[in-house]
Amino acid sequence: MSKKKVALLFGGVSSEHDVSCMSVASVYENIDREKYDPQLLGITKSGEWYLYSGDIENVRQNKWEEDKKNLKRAFICPDRSVHGMMVEEGPTMFPHRIDVVFPVLHGRNGEDGSMQGLLEIAGIPYVGCRVLSAALCMDKDVCHAVLKNAGVPQVKWLTFMRGCDLEHAFHAVSTELGYPVFVKPANAGSSVGITKAKSEAELGAAFDLAFANDCKIIVEAAVKDPIEVECAVFGNRELSVGGPGEIVPADEFYSYDAKYFNAESKLYIPARLSDEKAAEIREMAKHAYQVLGCRGLTRVDFLVERETGAVVLNEPNTLPGFTNISMYPKLMMAAGMSYPDLISGLIELAVSEFSEE
């Protein structure tokens, strides 16, 4: 049996570019070479596409663009007769067939439905959620509204657009939510651009940071003394739910630095919860996954109020981190699935999803 050619998309025009490079290095090192022929297709921060054939460590450290001898201009072609990439060979671009794409991309232009739309047009199977689900899960404001309508518990939140009347916005936050609050870009991941504001005096800088990352922001009421837990959901229609796992962040909340660079953040798998509470969270994760129309994989994050045990869904992540310290692979491995089998399973889910059409 011939190996499936799998394009591993990484990098991207996103504030999470560096995280994507770390994630794809782990996927590349753990993919089953007996089944798959992985191709590293990188996108620079400025939006240039290259097929990369050099040392994977250069990708992990985000130095791959400097390795000019192992770069070829290449891009996903929307023409369905190509079913893959156009790759530079000398002065000419030639078609290069790809069987499936694993978009190891986080954040904008990769996790928000835009890349999924390109792959739909190209007719190439790809790992993860389809266009609508990816876009829906990426926008925290719209996602909150859909889940609330479906009866999934949410924190109270307010939404503001860039250019809004700040005096009115600050008054609304103070009177409707109280403090502390979390100020977030509506469309970003890895905790990029998030601030915990403890008073109105701190809102100005928090709004500036969030608006630097998105034209729409949300402000969420903080959960009192929360336990942060995450569930890994795997599957298309038949679902496997791993977890929940518990995060004890080194920072005041699970910030970008706490996620990727601070070794003092602690993970507990399984979470330190009762069996009943863990079962409740798994069912809530499964329900949210189905409501949002997710496919392949999603990590669903929750907050549990320590005193009352009340659970709220924080956010879904449709292309969660795949680094060697990322929670999604850890949760699925704890559920009995090896890392290589997880990657293989996601690729086969993508193929089966498209074969049903």
Side-chain angles (χ1 to χ4, degrees):
M1 181 184 294
S2 61
K3 298 180 184 179
K4 288 187 175 75
K5 293 187 179 296
V6 181
L8 302 179
L9 277 176
F10 70 95
V13 185
S14 167
S15 58
E16 297 170 76
H17 180 103
D18 293 358
V19 179
S20 170
C21 291
M22 291 187 283
S23 287
V24 81
S26 293
V27 174
Y28 183 82
E29 289 171 334
N30 287 278
I31 195 168
D32 188 340
R33 293 299 202 285
E34 293 186 2
K35 295 179 181 177
Y36 309 110
D37 177 14
Q39 316 277 307
L40 287 165
L41 184 57
I43 306 170
T44 69
K45 289 183 179 179
S46 59
E48 296 174 302
W49 293 53
Y50 294 97
L51 190 64
Y52 180 66
S53 57
D55 188 345
I56 192 61
E57 196 59 32
N58 289 333
V59 175
R60 194 192 320 277
Q61 297 178 20
N62 196 18
K63 296 179 179 179
W64 61 280
E65 294 175 55
E66 302 169 15
D67 187 8
K68 302 297 184 183
K69 67 179 181 180
N70 287 306
L71 293 176
K72 290 182 179 180
R73 295 301 299 266
F75 55 86
I76 296 292
C77 181
D79 186 329
R80 289 196 171 201
S81 68
V82 173
H83 203 278
M85 301 182 283
M86 297 298 293
V87 180
E88 183 180 55
E89 297 289 350
T92 308
M93 304 291 287
F94 288 95
H96 181 89
R97 182 178 174 84
I98 290 294
D99 295 301
V100 62
V101 171
F102 193 152
V104 193
L105 296 165
H106 308 310
R108 283 187 170 181
N109 303 305
E111 194 176 354
D112 60 358
S114 53
M115 187 62 67
Q116 290 75 11
L118 171 61
L119 296 170
E120 292 278 355
I121 292 170
I124 306 171
Y126 58 89
V127 169
C129 293
R130 305 298 284 264
V131 177
L132 177 59
S133 180
L136 173 59
C137 291
M138 188 68 186
D139 189 307
K140 295 178 176 66
D141 172 44
V142 179
C143 189
H144 270 323
V146 170
L147 289 172
K148 182 180 179 181
N149 186 63
V152 179
Q154 307 287 293
V155 294
K156 191 173 183 181
W157 83 98
L158 296 172
T159 306
F160 302 99
M161 302 299 296
R162 186 181 291 147
C164 66
D165 182 329
L166 291 180
E167 183 178 352
H168 172 77
F170 292 1
H171 178 73
V173 171
S174 297
T175 56
E176 297 183 39
L177 300 181
Y179 295 96
V181 294
F182 285 96
V183 183
K184 305 178 178 181
N187 293 274
S190 290
S191 298
V192 172
I194 296 180
T195 305
K196 184 177 183 180
K198 300 176 183 178
S199 66
E200 186 169 320
E202 297 179 357
L203 277 183
F207 269 53
D208 287 345
L209 179 60
F211 276 133
N213 286 275
D214 197 3
C215 64
K216 179 167 72 167
I217 69 173
I218 66 169
V219 183
E220 297 175 342
V223 173
K224 183 180 178 182
D225 191 18
I227 304 169
E228 299 189 33
V229 297
E230 300 179 348
C231 276
V233 186
F234 170 92
N236 290 342
R237 291 160 187 83
E238 295 183 9
L239 304 181
S240 173
V241 184
E246 178 185 351
I247 297 161
V248 181
D251 297 339
E252 193 166 8
F253 65 97
Y254 205 30
S255 65
Y256 181 89
D257 285 342
K259 285 181 177 180
Y260 299 107
F261 302 108
N262 195 329
E264 294 182 8
S265 293
K266 296 179 180 178
L267 306 179
Y268 293 92
I269 301 175
R272 296 172 298 177
L273 301 169
S274 68
D275 291 345
E276 293 77 15
K277 185 59 62 178
E280 176 189 345
I281 291 170
R282 281 195 295 270
E283 282 304 309
M284 196 181 296
K286 183 177 179 180
H287 177 51
Y289 191 92
Q290 293 168 326
V291 166
L292 297 168
C294 297
R295 292 291 184 270
L297 75 161
T298 294
R299 196 193 71 228
V300 189
D301 302 347
F302 297 89
L303 299 171
V304 182
E305 191 173 65
R306 199 176 302 272
E307 183 177 342
T308 65
V311 180
V312 293
L313 192 149
N314 186 23
E315 64 178 18
N317 292 270
T318 59
L319 284 166
F322 263 80
T323 71
N324 59 351
I325 61 170
S326 295
M327 188 63 117
Y328 185 91
K330 284 180 173 288
L331 289 171
M332 293 309 300
M333 286 187 282
M337 185 180 291
S338 72
Y339 199 168
D341 285 346
L342 172 60
I343 295 167
S344 297
L346 290 170
I347 292 169
E348 296 311 316
L349 283 173
V351 173
S352 66
E353 172 77 1
F354 277 73
S355 67
E356 294 173 4
E357 295 185 344

